[in-house]
mmCIF file of all heavy atoms in Angstrom:
data_model
loop_
_atom_site.group_PDB
_atom_site.id
_atom_site.type_symbol
_atom_site.label_atom_id
_atom_site.label_comp_id
_atom_site.label_asym_id
_atom_site.label_seq_id
_atom_site.Cartn_x
_atom_site.Cartn_y
_atom_site.Cartn_z
ATOM 1 N N PRO L 199 -20.799 -27.216 42.285
ATOM 2 C CA PRO L 199 -19.648 -28.094 42.512
ATOM 3 C C PRO L 199 -18.474 -27.343 43.137
ATOM 4 O O PRO L 199 -18.494 -26.121 43.261
ATOM 5 C CB PRO L 199 -19.299 -28.573 41.095
ATOM 6 C CG PRO L 199 -19.808 -27.504 40.189
ATOM 7 C CD PRO L 199 -21.046 -26.970 40.859
ATOM 8 N N PRO L 200 -17.395 -28.057 43.525
ATOM 9 C CA PRO L 200 -16.249 -27.432 44.215
ATOM 10 C C PRO L 200 -15.504 -26.409 43.372
ATOM 11 O O PRO L 200 -14.648 -25.714 43.898
ATOM 12 C CB PRO L 200 -15.344 -28.629 44.540
ATOM 13 C CG PRO L 200 -16.216 -29.820 44.495
ATOM 14 C CD PRO L 200 -17.270 -29.529 43.479
ATOM 15 N N THR L 201 -15.784 -26.317 42.069
ATOM 16 C CA THR L 201 -15.130 -25.298 41.241
ATOM 17 C C THR L 201 -15.708 -23.906 41.516
ATOM 18 O O THR L 201 -15.221 -22.924 40.942
ATOM 19 C CB THR L 201 -15.307 -25.626 39.752
ATOM 20 O OG1 THR L 201 -16.681 -25.897 39.474
ATOM 21 C CG2 THR L 201 -14.464 -26.846 39.385
ATOM 22 N N PHE L 202 -16.714 -23.819 42.363
ATOM 23 C CA PHE L 202 -17.293 -22.535 42.760
ATOM 24 C C PHE L 202 -16.948 -22.268 44.227
ATOM 25 O O PHE L 202 -16.839 -23.166 45.041
ATOM 26 C CB PHE L 202 -18.811 -22.544 42.585
ATOM 27 C CG PHE L 202 -19.266 -22.503 41.162
ATOM 28 C CD1 PHE L 202 -19.237 -23.640 40.363
ATOM 29 C CD2 PHE L 202 -19.717 -21.305 40.594
ATOM 30 C CE1 PHE L 202 -19.658 -23.604 39.042
ATOM 31 C CE2 PHE L 202 -20.132 -21.269 39.274
ATOM 32 C CZ PHE L 202 -20.104 -22.408 38.489
ATOM 33 N N MET L 203 -16.766 -20.976 44.529
ATOM 34 C CA MET L 203 -16.455 -20.596 45.917
ATOM 35 C C MET L 203 -17.172 -19.289 46.256
ATOM 36 O O MET L 203 -17.242 -18.370 45.441
ATOM 37 C CB MET L 203 -14.947 -20.417 46.111
ATOM 38 C CG MET L 203 -14.549 -19.973 47.521
ATOM 39 S SD MET L 203 -12.754 -19.773 47.734
ATOM 40 C CE MET L 203 -12.226 -21.485 47.737
ATOM 41 N N ARG L 204 -17.690 -19.228 47.462
ATOM 42 C CA ARG L 204 -18.295 -17.990 47.946
ATOM 43 C C ARG L 204 -17.176 -17.076 48.411
ATOM 44 O O ARG L 204 -16.362 -17.456 49.271
ATOM 45 C CB ARG L 204 -19.272 -18.276 49.070
ATOM 46 C CG ARG L 204 -20.162 -17.067 49.415
ATOM 47 C CD ARG L 204 -21.358 -17.489 50.226
ATOM 48 N NE ARG L 204 -22.263 -16.368 50.480
ATOM 49 C CZ ARG L 204 -23.450 -16.484 51.047
ATOM 50 N NH1 ARG L 204 -23.888 -17.694 51.408
ATOM 51 N NH2 ARG L 204 -24.211 -15.431 51.262
ATOM 52 N N ILE L 205 -17.120 -15.867 47.860
ATOM 53 C CA ILE L 205 -16.050 -14.924 48.193
ATOM 54 C C ILE L 205 -16.580 -13.702 48.971
ATOM 55 O O ILE L 205 -15.791 -12.870 49.415
ATOM 56 C CB ILE L 205 -15.346 -14.425 46.920
ATOM 57 C CG1 ILE L 205 -16.345 -13.708 46.006
ATOM 58 C CG2 ILE L 205 -14.653 -15.561 46.208
ATOM 59 C CD1 ILE L 205 -15.737 -12.783 45.009
ATOM 60 N N HIS L 206 -17.881 -13.655 49.146
ATOM 61 C CA HIS L 206 -18.522 -12.492 49.769
ATOM 62 C C HIS L 206 -19.945 -12.931 50.107
ATOM 63 O O HIS L 206 -20.469 -13.872 49.500
ATOM 64 C CB HIS L 206 -18.516 -11.306 48.792
ATOM 65 C CG HIS L 206 -18.989 -10.002 49.363
ATOM 66 N ND1 HIS L 206 -20.337 -9.666 49.437
ATOM 67 C CD2 HIS L 206 -18.297 -8.950 49.852
ATOM 68 C CE1 HIS L 206 -20.450 -8.459 49.955
ATOM 69 N NE2 HIS L 206 -19.220 -8.005 50.237
ATOM 70 N N ARG L 207 -20.570 -12.276 51.057
ATOM 71 C CA ARG L 207 -21.936 -12.668 51.389
ATOM 72 C C ARG L 207 -22.880 -12.507 50.198
ATOM 73 O O ARG L 207 -23.941 -13.120 50.154
ATOM 74 C CB ARG L 207 -22.465 -11.882 52.592
ATOM 75 C CG ARG L 207 -22.537 -10.392 52.402
ATOM 76 C CD ARG L 207 -22.933 -9.686 53.685
ATOM 77 N NE ARG L 207 -22.981 -8.245 53.547
ATOM 78 C CZ ARG L 207 -24.060 -7.574 53.158
ATOM 79 N NH1 ARG L 207 -25.171 -8.229 52.880
ATOM 80 N NH2 ARG L 207 -24.028 -6.256 53.032
ATOM 81 N N SER L 208 -22.468 -11.712 49.220
ATOM 82 C CA SER L 208 -23.316 -11.456 48.051
ATOM 83 C C SER L 208 -22.823 -12.103 46.769
ATOM 84 O O SER L 208 -23.488 -11.965 45.729
ATOM 85 C CB SER L 208 -23.459 -9.942 47.813
ATOM 86 O OG SER L 208 -24.064 -9.296 48.905
ATOM 87 N N TYR L 209 -21.659 -12.808 46.814
ATOM 88 C CA TYR L 209 -21.107 -13.323 45.548
ATOM 89 C C TYR L 209 -20.562 -14.737 45.695
ATOM 90 O O TYR L 209 -19.871 -15.068 46.663
ATOM 91 C CB TYR L 209 -19.965 -12.410 45.066
ATOM 92 C CG TYR L 209 -20.414 -11.049 44.626
ATOM 93 C CD1 TYR L 209 -20.215 -9.947 45.466
ATOM 94 C CD2 TYR L 209 -21.021 -10.842 43.394
ATOM 95 C CE1 TYR L 209 -20.639 -8.676 45.094
ATOM 96 C CE2 TYR L 209 -21.446 -9.570 43.013
ATOM 97 C CZ TYR L 209 -21.233 -8.500 43.874
ATOM 98 O OH TYR L 209 -21.662 -7.243 43.479
ATOM 99 N N ILE L 210 -20.853 -15.557 44.696
ATOM 100 C CA ILE L 210 -20.222 -16.847 44.474
ATOM 101 C C ILE L 210 -19.585 -16.800 43.083
ATOM 102 O O ILE L 210 -20.224 -16.377 42.119
ATOM 103 C CB ILE L 210 -21.238 -18.006 44.520
ATOM 104 C CG1 ILE L 210 -21.935 -18.084 45.885
ATOM 105 C CG2 ILE L 210 -20.562 -19.329 44.194
ATOM 106 C CD1 ILE L 210 -23.044 -19.099 45.934
ATOM 107 N N VAL L 211 -18.317 -17.213 42.968
ATOM 108 C CA VAL L 211 -17.649 -17.138 41.678
ATOM 109 C C VAL L 211 -17.275 -18.522 41.169
ATOM 110 O O VAL L 211 -17.046 -19.458 41.944
ATOM 111 C CB VAL L 211 -16.356 -16.269 41.733
ATOM 112 C CG1 VAL L 211 -16.690 -14.855 42.146
ATOM 113 C CG2 VAL L 211 -15.326 -16.886 42.668
ATOM 114 N N ASN L 212 -17.251 -18.636 39.852
ATOM 115 C CA ASN L 212 -16.696 -19.821 39.196
ATOM 116 C C ASN L 212 -15.188 -19.634 39.173
ATOM 117 O O ASN L 212 -14.666 -18.785 38.447
ATOM 118 C CB ASN L 212 -17.261 -19.954 37.788
ATOM 119 C CG ASN L 212 -16.838 -21.250 37.110
ATOM 120 O OD1 ASN L 212 -15.827 -21.848 37.465
ATOM 121 N ND2 ASN L 212 -17.592 -21.674 36.117
ATOM 122 N N LEU L 213 -14.456 -20.387 39.969
ATOM 123 C CA LEU L 213 -13.017 -20.212 40.104
ATOM 124 C C LEU L 213 -12.282 -20.397 38.786
ATOM 125 O O LEU L 213 -11.210 -19.819 38.574
ATOM 126 C CB LEU L 213 -12.477 -21.179 41.156
ATOM 127 C CG LEU L 213 -12.986 -20.941 42.574
ATOM 128 C CD1 LEU L 213 -12.628 -22.118 43.476
ATOM 129 C CD2 LEU L 213 -12.419 -19.652 43.162
ATOM 130 N N GLN L 214 -12.837 -21.178 37.879
ATOM 131 C CA GLN L 214 -12.192 -21.429 36.597
ATOM 132 C C GLN L 214 -12.308 -20.233 35.646
ATOM 133 O O GLN L 214 -11.656 -20.195 34.612
ATOM 134 C CB GLN L 214 -12.792 -22.667 35.942
ATOM 135 C CG GLN L 214 -12.524 -23.936 36.749
ATOM 136 C CD GLN L 214 -13.132 -25.173 36.103
ATOM 137 O OE1 GLN L 214 -14.108 -25.083 35.363
ATOM 138 N NE2 GLN L 214 -12.555 -26.319 36.377
ATOM 139 N N LYS L 215 -13.134 -19.238 36.006
ATOM 140 C CA LYS L 215 -13.341 -18.069 35.145
ATOM 141 C C LYS L 215 -12.751 -16.799 35.756
ATOM 142 O O LYS L 215 -12.934 -15.702 35.199
ATOM 143 C CB LYS L 215 -14.819 -17.901 34.847
ATOM 144 C CG LYS L 215 -15.423 -19.089 34.083
ATOM 145 C CD LYS L 215 -16.882 -18.865 33.755
ATOM 146 C CE LYS L 215 -17.492 -20.103 33.114
ATOM 147 N NZ LYS L 215 -16.956 -20.361 31.774
ATOM 148 N N VAL L 216 -12.061 -16.909 36.881
ATOM 149 C CA VAL L 216 -11.400 -15.742 37.476
ATOM 150 C C VAL L 216 -10.230 -15.325 36.589
ATOM 151 O O VAL L 216 -9.352 -16.130 36.289
ATOM 152 C CB VAL L 216 -10.884 -16.063 38.902
ATOM 153 C CG1 VAL L 216 -10.045 -14.911 39.444
ATOM 154 C CG2 VAL L 216 -12.062 -16.334 39.829
ATOM 155 N N GLN L 217 -10.209 -14.083 36.169
ATOM 156 C CA GLN L 217 -9.159 -13.600 35.267
ATOM 157 C C GLN L 217 -7.989 -12.981 36.034
ATOM 158 O O GLN L 217 -6.842 -13.109 35.622
ATOM 159 C CB GLN L 217 -9.734 -12.584 34.281
ATOM 160 C CG GLN L 217 -10.748 -13.162 33.323
ATOM 161 C CD GLN L 217 -11.196 -12.164 32.281
ATOM 162 O OE1 GLN L 217 -10.672 -11.047 32.165
ATOM 163 N NE2 GLN L 217 -12.186 -12.549 31.471
#
Side-chain angles (χ1 to χ4, degrees):
T201 50
F202 288 78
M203 178 180 288
R204 193 163 184 173
I205 61 160
H206 188 276
R207 61 186 179 88
S208 298
Y209 293 102
I210 299 174
V211 299
N212 186 337
L213 295 168
Q214 296 180 334
K215 298 182 185 292
V216 172
Q217 295 186 6

